[in-house]
Structures are given as structure tokens and as C-alpha cells.
């Protein structure tokens, strides 16, 4: 096969010099690639040069095309670090795909007043995006680049595959656009309309319900007005079928991904730390709005998030908290000296008995924010940030939960050993007990920590060691505090002594093996007494009372696992 004598180089302008970017065998491919590079928004200009190899071996380069990035106001497509790989067509309508679209199209959404769900379900909205400069081209280019690296495939091949899918999505939206069977929300209430769609389109209820909803939503370009419409159609989640609530959740999650919307919902806050805490409160259903324009919507949305029926909306709000935490904006811009205090405020708001709200991604965001307090960079700086962030936790229990949450983050791929080292260090310390708290409270909190460790994704060896240490701490606390002796006073009635001990053995109070065995062994001692049943009820004169007391005892023994 003859060697190609003519190729086409694509070059980009960097520091006033043309720098080689890629080479193609045909001019059309070179021009297409050049257009895509400009669409990404990262290059000032592109140049295409024709390289011709002469018979004598010398090369002749001829410039055939130069194009500069447009100076007009462009919509910048945001950068992304990751993009989900969608297998089936339905995956492109899913939460992860739409969240990625929201990231990429943040500026487009703010300017045009639309959402990913509308783009996917309204053909006119898709056409609007397709016609708007090179926004769609830039989106595809960025996604293809990220996914090609993940899949280890050629970026251009991945781009072509994405365009094929986009064609399918557009065709589906176009076909549904003129469907005459879908009801109008201007004529009937949403629950009735949903039931109609479910009857007419049982094979794709979700898709066609979204088409129906988007027909109304595209009529307004105000994102808050769209949210008001959605909440108006669903004033209470109890009034709407569960499947319909999940569809609404998708649309609401699209909207709260927009800074325009979530900033209006939480209102003016003193600083970024307060704003982040307010977003966490709204995601958790415990937000208390102050008087302002968006307060009515906030109250209504908060009431529904409190019912835990909007998982996508919650995830989106928390995603934005993590994104802003990782950013460079100061937590307290007007008072830089209060930055550590502001950090501690958001740290403590995010840390609960169930770990870090938002999971590993949020825990990593807290560490990356702490990097701003660290003066060194690289691996050493990250280690210091992990240690420093963990030290913000008020006690050993909280620190343990934070580090276990962090172990579930992408950061653990590189710093898993560092996190496990700190977990080993924390679990070896004796700062899990708060002497100011009642005995029962300390026992319950330590038992909860033990359960948290047992259910964690830590390596089995580390999990067993840490859980064993907490179990030992509980045994030492029970022994040192003489809890069993206080509950089992010899001068008290045997029935009262046994009941107090069995309450300590009840589910939720003690579950760690060694600690539970300490208490159980004392109960077993009593059970082995001769004529235990008679002694247990000897102070009760009425036969009916005796029977009830023994029946209650049997129930307590069963709940304590002693029957």
C-alpha cells in the first residue's frame, strides 16, 4: 500500500505560536476537529496546514485555513471531571446523566431558562440547544473526552457514538412532541393526568409524563416559576401516586441544581458557610426560611424533602454543597480571620451519627477545603489536610465516623493507607466516653459507633480490630463505672434487679459481644438460682400479677436473646 504523501495538521494558537495538536489524512476530518476544538472554548484560534511530501523526501507545508474563536458573548460550557457511561437509552434520562448535563449547561440553563429534562423531552428545546452557537458541540466534545479516557477508546469514535445516541433521543422527543393523546395540565389536575398517561402509555409512563409536564414548563423561562408550577401540581406528596412523585423529583432536582434557584430558596445568608448549612437543612427537610420572595416555595419544598420522598432533589442539593466546598470562594469572605470557625460550622453540620451527610464525596470536599489552611502541597499537603480535617471532629466517635466516610471517597484510592492509619490511631485512644453524659447515653452512643464500624466498608481486618477495641472500651467503662453493680443491688427485689439488667441487654443499648456478655452473665447467674420464678414474684400476692410478671419476663428474655 502506498504511503500517504499528503496529511493535514491541526494547530492551536498558544503564546502567539502555532502548536501542533493532531494530524489527519483528509481535510474534512481536520476541519471538523478544528471546529470542535474551538467549540470547547479552551483555544484562541486553530490553524489547518496541508503537509505534502515531495518525491525527493522534502515536506512542503501550506496554510489552508485559520479560524479565531468568536469574540461575541458566548455561553461557556463548564468543565467536568467525570461523566457516567450510559448503556441503555433510558440511562440518558437518569439522574446521573441529567446531573452531568446540569453541570455542563449551568450557564446555558441560567441564560435560556430551561432544564435537562425539558431538553430531553421537548423537541423544540432540543432544537434550541442544537442551534445555539456550538454549545451542543462543546458538550459532546467534553463528555467524549472524559469517557474516552475511562473506556480507553478513541475520543472521536466516542464522540460519534454520542451523536448517534443524541439522534435517537431527538427522534423520540420529536415523535412525542405532537402526540395528541396526552392530556393537558391546563384542563385536568396532575394526579388525574398521570393516571390518564399511565392508561394510554403503559410501556413508557415516565417518558410521556415528562413530555406532558414539559409542554407546560417550556412556556415560561423563569426557573423559579417552573418550580412553582411543579409544586402547585403536587401541593402534597400524599395526594400524588408514588411513581408520579418520583417523576416530579427528577424535574425538581434539575431546577435546584441551578444556583439561581437554590440561592433564591435559601435567601440571603451572612456568608458561604451559612449558605451551605442552609442547603444541607433544605436537603434534610429542616430548613427554616426567613421572610422573602422564595420563602413560600422553600416552606413547601422543605415539607416534601422532610418526608424523604425526593431522593434526587436531596442528592442534587448536597452535590452543590460539595461542589461549593471544593471551590475557592472563602467561607467568610468579609472576615478572613473567622475562616477556621466557619469551616468548623459546616463540618459539624455535615457530621451526624450516620456519618457525613452526602457520604464520601462530601467528606472529600471537607478535606479539599481544609487544604486552604495547609501551607504545603502535593501528597504531604493532602495528608496534613486529612489529619487536620479529622481533628476538627469534637471527639473520638465523631472522628471515627468522619474517617470511615472519607474511606468511601475517591480520595481513598490514593490515600486509603493514610486514612486507615488514622483510624487505627483514633480507635486506640480513650476519648470515646463523655463523663458529663448519663451512663445509659454513653452506652447507647458507644454501641451505635460499634454498629457503624461493623457495617462499614473498611477492610475486614481493620474493621474487626477497630470494632474489637470499641468493645473493649465498653467493657472497661461498664467495669469502671460499676454499672452492673448499680443495677443489681443485693438489697433490692430480685424482680427489679433482673428488669434493670434486662433493659441494658435490650436491642439498641448494647450489641457489642464482650460488653453484652458482661451483663448477660449476671442475668444468667440469677436465672440459675433455685426456684428463680418463685423468688422473682415473691413480693406479689395476687396470682394474676404473678402470671403477668412472669409473662413479661419471658418477653424481655426473648428480646435480650436469652431464650
Amino acid at each position: 500500500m502506498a504511503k500517504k504523501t499528503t496529511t493535514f495538521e491541526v494547530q492551536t494558537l498558544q503564546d502567539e505560536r502555532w502548536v501542533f495538536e493532531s494530524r489527519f489524512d483528509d481535510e474534512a476530518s481536520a476541519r471538523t476537529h478544528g471546529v470542535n476544538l474551538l467549540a470547547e472554548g479552551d483555544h484562541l484560534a486553530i490553524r489547518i496546514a496541508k503537509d505534502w511530501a515531495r518525491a525527493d523526501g522534502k515536506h512542503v507545508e501550506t496554510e489552508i485555513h485559520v479560524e479565531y474563536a468568536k469574540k461575541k458573548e458566548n455561553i461557556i460550557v463548564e468543565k467536568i471531571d467525570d461523566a457516567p457511561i450510559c448503556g441503555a437509552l433510558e440511562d440518558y434520562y437518569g439522574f446521573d446523566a441529567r446531573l452531568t448535563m446540569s453541570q455542563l449547561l449551568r450557564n446555558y440553563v441560567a441564560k435560556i431558562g430551561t432544564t435537562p429534562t425539558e431538553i430531553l423531552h421537548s423537541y423544540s428545546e432540543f432544537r434550541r440547544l442544537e442551534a445555539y452557537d456550538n454549545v451542543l458541540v462543546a458538550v459532546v466534545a467534553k463528555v467524549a473526552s472524559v469517557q474516552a479516557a475511562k473506556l480507553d477508546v478513541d475520543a472521536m469514535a466516542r464522540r460519534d457514538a454520542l451523536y448517534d445516541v443524541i439522534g435517537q433521543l431527538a427522534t423520540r422527543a420529536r415523535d412525542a412532541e405532537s402526540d395528541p393523546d396526552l392530556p393537558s395540565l391546563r384542563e385536568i389536575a396532575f394526579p388525574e393526568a398521570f393516571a390518564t398517561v399511565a392508561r394510554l402509555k403503559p410501556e413508557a409512563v415516565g417518558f410521556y409524563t415528562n413530555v406532558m409536564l414539559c409542554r407546560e414548563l417550556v412556556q415560561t423561562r423563569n426557573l423559579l416559576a417552573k418550580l412553582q408550577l411543579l409544586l402547585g401540581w403536587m401541593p402534597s406528596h400524599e395526594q400524588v401516586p408514588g411513581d408520579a412523585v418520583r417523576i416530579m423529583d427528577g424535574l425538581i432536582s434539575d431546577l435546584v441544581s441551578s444556583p439561581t434557584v437554590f440561592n433564591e430558596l435559601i435567601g440571603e445568608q451572612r456568608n458561604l458557610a451559612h449558605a451551605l448549612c442552609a442547603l444541607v437543612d433544605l436537603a434534610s427537610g429542616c430548613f427554616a426560611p426567613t421572610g422573602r420572595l422564595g420563602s413560600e416555595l422553600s416552606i413547601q419544598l422543605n415539607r416534601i424533602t422532610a418526608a424523604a420522598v425526593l431522593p434526587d432533589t436531596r442528592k442534587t442539593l448536597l452535590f452543590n454543597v460539595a461542589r461549593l466546598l471544593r471551590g475557592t470562594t472563602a467561607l467568610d469572605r468579609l472576615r478572613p480571620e473567622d475562616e477556621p470557625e466557619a469551616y468548623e460550622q459546616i463540618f459539624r453540620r455535615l457530621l451526624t451519627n450516620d456519618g457525613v451527610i452526602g457520604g464520601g464525596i462530601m467528606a472529600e470536599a471537607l478535606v479539599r477545603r481544609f487544604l486552604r489552611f495547609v501551607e504545603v502541597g502535593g501528597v504531604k499537603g493532602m495528608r496534613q489536610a486529612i489529619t487536620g480535617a479529622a481533628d476538627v471532629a469534637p471527639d473520638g466517635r465523631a472522628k471515627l465516623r468522619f474517617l470511615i466516610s472519607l474511606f468511601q471517597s475517591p480520595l481513598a484510592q490514593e490515600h486509603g493507607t493514610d486514612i486507615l492509619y488514622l483510624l487505627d490511631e483514633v480507635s486506640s485512644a480513650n476519648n470515646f466516653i463523655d463523663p458529663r453524659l448519663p451512663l445509659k447515653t454513653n452506652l447507647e452512643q458507644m454501641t451505635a459507633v460499634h454498629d457503624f464500624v461493623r457495617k462499614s466498608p473498611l477492610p475486614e481486618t481493620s474493621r474487626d480490630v477497630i470494632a474489637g477495641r470499641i468493645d473493649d472500651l465498653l467493657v472497661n467503662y461498664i467495669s469502671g463505672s460499676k454499672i452492673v453493680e448499680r443495677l443489681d443491688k443485693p438489697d433490692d427485689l430480685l424482680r427489679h434487679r433482673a428488669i434493670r439488667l434486662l433493659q441494658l441487654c435490650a436491642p439498641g443499648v448494647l450489641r457489642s459481644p464482650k460488653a453484652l456478655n458482661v451483663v448477660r452473665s449476671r442475668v444468667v447467674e440469677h436465672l440459675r438460682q433455685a426456684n428463680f420464678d418463685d423468688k422473682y414474684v415473691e413480693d406479689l400476692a395476687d396470682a394474676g400479677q404473678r402470671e403477668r410478671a412472669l409473662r413479661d419476663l419471658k418477653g424481655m428474655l426473648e428480646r435480650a436473646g436469652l431464650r
Side-chain angles (χ1 to χ4, degrees):
M1 182 175 177
K3 185 178 180 181
K4 285 276 186 182
T5 59
T6 304
T7 57
F8 297 84
E9 283 191 5
V10 178
Q11 303 166 0
T12 59
L13 187 62
Q14 298 179 25
D15 299 325
E16 300 183 1
R17 294 188 308 109
W18 293 110
V19 178
F20 171 80
E21 202 278 336
S22 53
R23 180 179 288 107
F24 297 86
D25 291 335
D26 62 281
E27 182 179 344
S29 296
R31 285 181 177 272
T32 300
H33 185 64
V35 169
N36 289 335
L37 287 176
L38 286 178
E40 289 177 9
D42 298 328
H43 302 285
L44 295 173
I46 60 102
R47 175 177 184 261
I48 299 174
K50 178 180 178 181
D51 184 86
W52 172 52
R54 299 192 325 188
D56 60 4
K58 292 182 180 181
H59 286 254
V60 177
E61 182 179 288
T62 305
E63 181 183 285
I64 61 173
H65 180 71
V66 174
E67 185 174 347
Y68 286 82
K70 295 178 181 178
K71 296 291 186 180
K72 70 173 189 177
E73 181 185 357
N74 287 330
I75 288 180
I76 297 174
V77 174
E78 297 287 342
K79 293 182 179 180
I80 54 172
D81 298 321
D82 192 18
I85 307 296
C86 298
L89 191 67
E90 287 299 320
D91 295 342
Y92 289 86
Y93 299 99
F95 172 76
D96 291 334
R98 287 185 293 100
L99 185 61
T100 302
M101 287 179 66
S102 293
Q103 289 178 262
L104 290 159
L105 295 172
R106 183 173 296 120
N107 299 307
Y108 179 83
V109 166
K111 184 174 180 64
I112 303 302
T114 190
T115 62
T117 297
E118 289 171 84
I119 294 169
L120 289 167
H121 294 85
S122 168
Y123 187 61
S124 60
E125 281 304 304
F126 168 77
R127 291 286 294 159
R128 185 190 301 272
L129 172 63
E130 188 179 42
Y132 201 100
D133 264 354
N134 290 314
V135 172
L136 182 59
V137 174
V139 166
V140 173
K142 288 181 185 290
V143 173
S145 176
V146 171
Q147 292 186 341
K150 289 175 67 173
L151 297 170
D152 193 23
V153 298
D154 177 68
M156 293 186 68
R158 185 58 189 165
R159 183 204 63 189
D160 292 342
L162 288 173
Y163 275 121
D164 286 343
V165 172
I166 289 172
Q168 296 176 53
L169 294 170
T171 299
R172 194 180 187 197
R174 184 194 62 206
D175 293 344
E177 182 108 307
S178 56
D179 193 313
D181 296 332
L182 297 181
S184 171
L185 290 170
R186 299 186 181 190
E187 298 174 359
I188 57 176
F190 175 64
E192 183 183 348
F194 175 75
T196 301
V197 174
R199 187 181 73 254
L200 296 174
K201 310 288 185 180
E203 75 290 350
V205 179
F207 175 77
Y208 283 101
T209 300
N210 273 317
V211 171
M212 174 187 69
L213 291 166
C214 289
R215 283 181 178 179
E216 300 299 327
L217 293 175
V218 297
Q219 303 305 315
T220 177
R221 293 293 152 189
N222 185 297
L223 297 178
L224 274 174
K226 292 177 190 285
L227 180 59
Q228 190 171 22
L229 278 174
L230 290 171
L231 294 178
W233 293 327
M234 187 180 67
S236 170
H237 68 278
E238 290 98 345
Q239 301 174 18
V240 178
D243 289 344
V245 173
R246 283 187 283 276
I247 293 169
M248 284 287 198
D249 183 25
L251 282 157
I252 295 172
S253 69
D254 281 0
L255 287 165
V256 299
S257 181
S258 166
T260 302
V261 173
F262 68 68
N263 282 327
E264 185 58 48
L265 288 173
I266 63 175
E268 187 176 349
Q269 299 290 330
R270 190 172 73 81
N271 55 31
L272 179 58
H274 279 76
L276 296 180
C277 288
L279 283 174
V280 175
D281 289 344
L282 185 59
S284 305
C286 57
F287 179 65
T290 56
R292 61 181 186 285
L293 177 65
S295 60
E296 186 177 337
L297 289 176
S298 302
I299 292 170
Q300 192 175 352
L301 181 59
N302 186 74
R303 186 164 54 242
I304 303 176
T305 57
V309 295
L310 300 178
D312 286 357
T313 299
R314 172 182 168 83
K315 285 188 289 187
T316 300
L317 288 167
L318 294 178
F319 174 86
N320 278 290
V321 173
R323 179 179 62 82
L324 292 167
L325 260 180
R326 290 194 304 268
T328 57
T329 304
L331 294 174
D332 197 334
R333 183 172 53 84
L334 298 179
R335 302 178 66 178
E337 68 276 10
D338 290 343
E339 192 75 6
E341 182 181 336
Y343 178 85
E344 184 175 345
Q345 177 190 2
I346 183 64
F347 185 98
R348 296 201 174 200
R349 177 62 188 90
L350 287 167
L351 193 56
T352 71
N353 288 338
D354 296 321
V356 177
I357 294 175
I361 299 298
M362 192 72 77
E364 179 174 335
L366 285 166
V367 170
R368 294 196 179 279
R369 169 61 62 163
F370 197 90
L371 271 172
R372 293 169 61 89
F373 303 123
V374 177
E375 296 182 355
V376 296
V379 174
K380 184 177 180 181
M382 183 59 74
R383 285 174 179 160
Q384 289 185 17
I386 292 171
T387 302
D391 286 342
V392 176
D395 53 45
R397 297 189 305 273
K399 185 178 290 190
L400 200 73
R401 288 185 171 102
F402 170 74
L403 289 170
I404 289 176
S405 296
L406 184 62
F407 190 79
Q408 300 171 61
S409 74
L411 192 63
Q413 295 178 9
E414 185 176 354
H415 290 275
T417 302
D418 300 321
I419 298 170
L420 289 174
Y421 174 82
L422 288 175
L423 279 167
D424 183 72
E425 191 177 69
V426 171
S427 63
S428 300
N430 189 15
N431 64 338
F432 285 76
I433 303 294
D434 188 343
R436 298 167 297 180
L437 295 176
L439 296 176
K440 185 179 179 183
T441 301
N442 270 322
L443 289 174
E444 289 175 340
Q445 289 187 352
M446 287 294 291
T447 297
V449 171
H450 182 271
D451 287 352
F452 187 79
V453 173
R454 273 288 169 213
K455 295 174 183 176
S456 74
L458 294 175
E460 185 176 358
T461 302
S462 298
R463 189 170 62 241
D464 290 345
V465 168
I466 294 171
R469 287 172 180 166
I470 295 173
D471 203 358
D472 290 337
L473 282 173
L474 270 167
V475 170
N476 292 336
Y477 181 63
I478 291 171
S479 175
S481 303
K482 299 188 180 299
I483 293 176
V484 173
E485 289 77 6
R486 293 184 188 188
L487 298 176
D488 194 25
K489 295 178 181 179
D491 295 338
D492 287 353
L493 290 170
L494 178 61
R495 188 175 75 262
H496 295 168
R497 294 159 64 187
I499 288 174
R500 288 194 293 263
L501 289 170
L502 285 169
Q503 286 175 338
L504 195 58
C505 296
V509 182
L510 282 178
R511 280 193 293 274
S512 55
K514 296 177 186 176
L516 191 56
N517 285 337
V518 170
V519 184
R520 280 179 170 175
S521 62
R522 183 64 69 96
V523 174
V524 170
E525 285 181 21
H526 289 309
L527 292 173
R528 287 176 176 170
Q529 292 183 44
N531 303 315
F532 171 80
D533 287 0
D534 293 338
K535 293 179 182 180
Y536 185 80
V537 296
E538 62 184 359
D539 64 307
L540 301 175
D542 182 73
Q545 288 182 323
R546 292 186 177 193
E547 184 178 343
R548 282 194 299 274
L550 289 172
R551 188 167 58 246
D552 291 342
L553 172 64
K554 181 180 178 181
M556 286 188 289
L557 289 170
E558 288 177 350
R559 287 190 293 275
L562 291 168
R563 280 284 184 181

